[in-house]
Amino acid sequence: MPRRENPLPEKGIEAVDIAAESFLRQMIEAEHFSGVVMVARNGQVLHKRAYGPVSEHFKNRAADRFHVASITKQFTAAAMMQLIETEMVQLDGRINKFLPEPHRSAIWETVSVQHLLSHTSGIPDYAVTRDYYDVVDGWAFGKTMDGMIREAMTLPLDFEPGTQFRYCNLGYTLLGEIIETQTGLRYANYIKQALLDPMGMENSQIHDERYIPTLDDAIGLRWDDELGCHVRDDVASLPVTPADGGLVTTLDDFARWITVYKFMEHPKLSTASLERMLAQAAPSDTYRWPERNIRGQGFYGLGLMRSGDLIMHEGSIVGFRSFFLYSRDDDLLIAVFSNNTYNNVFHITSGLLGIFG
């Protein structure tokens, strides 16, 4: 196991690489990029800067907090692996055993925890709009989340569990329900206590119904061609729930989390559990994310995408786009957190990989 000898990034301190800066300036010109970017190798920051507006009136800063959407899923997966280690949950156990009674469905009798984690459950994802939805800025809590689950409980599975990969946000919503039911804690509180605090991620939290924005939180925007400026994003998209996309974090905090994969250790998670998260869990012949497979045929593990030596995930919610990749061979992290839904964060990330990879 590598020794922990590389320093973590200094909070908020910017660094500029000429080639990266030139490329990102092109992205500003081409698609009005707004957000923050970090490139780090061997624990040393090569490039870390903020671009564009944090709101209608202020500029982004490198230390600002961003919603990173489905990048959250690896934290939900890590939390589940903790529960599995303590035998509160079994990876191959049926979800009806662990869900709260009102959210158990006879249709899900053969669906396991691993099926939810690997997007192989066959459970249909939630829809963009429904009559019962009460969605504010893309966020769904309380009765709306309950309605999503109850609707899914009545729908037939799209395929036999374990036989196909099909991305399902609702599966992670259900995992959040399992975490709350088995621990007796709110999902946000459990993630903070069990995962974030032990890694010193003091500027990170989960956006749930009790979330209160801080002055350091970026506001979700989009580019308006007609007005020729960034405006608050109000375009309908899939609503987000805490366990499938609620993480709010900074570049520096996220770099701390990535050391978990570098050293394959976390204060409250075993190496075996981390290795299980990184192993293939979905059938490769049904995995459909070809534009994300940078190095060879990709696959999905538990809460993470893999492609060659790369660990990756993207995120997309109202007002925000995010993508990160970490090369285990090169100890290279590239993280792009955007608060402009116009941005193609995968294109930006892969462009930076072409410079540093």
Side-chain angles (χ1 to χ4, degrees):
M1 181 179 295
R3 293 174 57 202
R4 287 186 176 274
E5 55 188 14
N6 295 319
L8 291 167
E10 293 186 65
K11 180 179 178 181
I13 302 300
E14 291 197 351
V16 180
D17 176 90
I18 295 176
E21 183 69 9
S22 176
F23 170 72
L24 290 166
R25 291 294 169 185
Q26 293 175 36
M27 294 301 96
I28 293 172
E29 185 70 24
E31 53 185 65
H32 311 285
F33 174 63
S34 179
V36 291
V37 175
M38 174 184 280
V39 181
R41 179 185 280 120
N42 298 324
Q44 300 292 333
V45 175
L46 306 179
H47 188 87
K48 183 172 72 173
R49 290 207 75 185
Y51 303 87
V54 68
S55 66
E56 296 97 324
H57 307 295
F58 299 98
K59 297 294 185 182
N60 281 317
R61 299 171 300 172
D64 283 338
R65 306 198 319 166
F66 280 72
H67 286 76
V68 294
S70 287
I71 285 178
T72 306
K73 288 182 169 65
Q74 64 197 286
F75 292 84
T76 301
M80 289 303 304
M81 297 309 293
Q82 288 177 326
L83 300 190
I84 290 165
E85 287 185 12
T86 58
E87 299 184 348
M88 297 175 71
V89 173
Q90 291 78 50
L91 187 60
D92 60 356
R94 300 300 184 245
I95 63 173
N96 280 341
K97 178 180 177 181
F98 310 117
L99 284 167
E101 184 71 37
H103 290 162
R104 298 174 186 176
S105 170
I107 297 173
W108 299 344
E109 281 300 320
T110 60
V111 177
S112 72
V113 170
Q114 177 167 321
H115 293 146
L116 295 185
L117 287 166
S118 59
H119 299 288
T120 59
S121 68
I123 295 174
D125 210 350
Y126 45 69
V128 175
T129 59
R130 283 289 186 267
D131 291 342
Y132 59 78
Y133 275 17
D134 180 16
V135 176
V136 179
D137 295 331
W139 294 93
F141 309 120
K143 292 182 178 180
T144 299
M145 196 163 72
D146 176 70
M148 292 174 176
I149 295 172
R150 290 182 182 276
E151 180 181 35
M153 291 168 62
T154 67
L155 300 175
L157 299 178
D158 290 334
F159 50 82
E160 181 183 347
T163 62
Q164 296 185 41
F165 171 90
R166 187 171 300 172
Y167 198 80
C168 180
N169 292 289
L170 184 65
Y172 273 74
T173 304
L174 293 173
L175 289 169
E177 292 273 300
I178 291 173
I179 291 168
E180 292 191 339
T181 300
Q182 299 304 313
T183 66
L185 297 172
R186 288 171 46 234
Y187 170 82
N189 286 355
Y190 183 82
I191 296 298
K192 175 178 170 55
Q193 295 174 21
L195 294 175
L196 304 181
D197 285 353
M199 293 301 296
M201 298 173 67
E202 61 184 24
N203 294 307
S204 301
Q205 71 177 102
I206 296 296
H207 183 148
D208 65 4
E209 61 270 32
R210 299 185 185 182
Y211 164 76
I212 300 175
T214 73
L215 294 176
D216 294 328
D217 288 7
I219 293 174
L221 306 173
R222 62 180 173 83
W223 178 259
D224 188 300
D225 281 324
E226 185 174 335
L227 295 176
C229 64
H230 292 87
V231 299
R232 292 202 181 208
D233 190 27
D234 57 0
V235 177
S237 66
L238 278 175
V240 62
T241 64
D244 82 87
L247 181 66
V248 186
T249 191
T250 66
L251 288 174
D252 293 337
D253 269 13
F254 191 69
R256 285 179 166 80
W257 175 255
I258 291 300
T259 64
V260 169
Y261 305 129
K262 175 179 180 176
F263 298 104
M264 293 303 288
E265 60 181 26
H266 182 280
K268 295 190 176 183
L269 194 63
S270 71
T271 299
S273 290
L274 291 167
E275 290 174 343
R276 186 66 191 83
M277 287 173 61
L278 297 179
Q280 181 173 341
S284 58
D285 60 338
T286 64
Y287 179 81
R288 294 291 181 268
W289 234 323
E291 74 278 13
R292 304 296 187 257
N293 298 336
I294 300 173
R295 295 179 179 171
Q297 174 61 40
F299 63 82
Y300 203 91
L302 304 180
L304 290 161
M305 300 157 56
R306 295 293 309 278
S307 189
D309 69 305
L310 300 180
I311 301 169
M312 305 178 291
H313 215 289
E314 63 183 316
S316 176
I317 60 175
V318 172
F320 296 92
R321 299 288 184 267
S322 58
F323 198 96
F324 89 93
L325 62 80
Y326 174 66
S327 167
R328 300 183 74 190
D329 290 351
D330 299 329
D331 189 17
L332 174 69
L333 166 65
I334 301 175
V336 178
F337 302 160
S338 168
N339 62 329
N340 173 12
T341 52
Y342 191 90
N343 295 150
N344 184 336
V345 288
F346 171 75
H347 174 68
I348 295 170
T349 306
S350 58
L352 291 168
L353 181 63
I355 296 172
F356 295 98

